[in-house]
Amino acid sequence: MLELDGEILGKPYEPEVAIERWKAMRGRSGVLHSGHWVRMLGEALPGEGVAESGDVSSTIVHFANVTDQEIADYVATGEPLHVAGAFTIDGFGGPFISGIEGDHHGVLGLSLPLLRLILGRLGVSWTSLWNR
């Protein structure tokens, strides 16, 4: 989800909502929050055979000062309708993101550094997952 002016914004779903959101975001910054949760199941785990942990990756996203036409054209692609904050950094929306502060993996949707930390809390070494 995207936090802008203390308000939480999810997926816009409708083109009109995406257009208004982009008009509010352009030339400004917001914080993208991406939640992560890992649940491990197995007989070797204590108690009920379940271990779980989670956390949130938060990254400041700086939006370019895009024109009304650029907003309309971007929304017309359909890409921003089904993504948190009405933007992607790895698609058509990438050129409209002028910078980020923090974990770029979290902006893509899966924070690998945070996932490594969560797995570590659960006793799983990141490198043990490598296929050697």
Side-chain angles (χ1 to χ4, degrees):
M1 63 190 85
L2 180 73
E3 180 182 351
L4 187 67
D5 296 331
E7 183 180 353
I8 299 297
L9 307 171
K11 300 173 183 177
Y13 297 110
E14 300 296 327
E16 300 78 21
V17 176
I19 289 169
E20 288 308 309
R21 187 160 304 160
W22 264 97
K23 287 181 178 181
M25 296 184 319
R26 67 178 159 197
R28 303 182 61 215
S29 301
V31 181
L32 187 73
H33 302 286
S34 181
H36 296 63
W37 193 260
V38 175
R39 182 176 184 154
M40 295 174 41
L41 307 172
E43 294 177 15
L45 297 171
E48 303 277 326
V50 176
E52 50 191 354
S53 183
D55 217 323
V56 175
S57 168
S58 298
T59 303
I60 298 171
V61 179
H62 302 284
F63 300 99
N65 194 13
V66 294
T67 66
D68 286 350
Q69 187 61 55
E70 287 173 316
I71 291 171
D73 291 345
Y74 180 46
V75 172
T77 69
E79 182 180 89
L81 301 182
H82 302 286
V83 291
F87 75 93
T88 62
I89 197 167
D90 58 341
F92 292 117
F96 304 139
I97 308 303
S98 58
I100 64 168
E101 294 176 50
D103 180 11
H104 77 279
H105 295 283
V107 178
L108 292 173
L110 178 63
S111 171
L112 297 177
L114 184 58
L115 180 58
R116 184 185 67 80
L117 291 174
I118 293 169
L119 288 171
R121 284 186 216 142
L122 296 171
V124 177
S125 163
W126 183 259
T127 57
S128 72
L129 301 173
W130 294 350
N131 184 9
R132 296 184 183 166

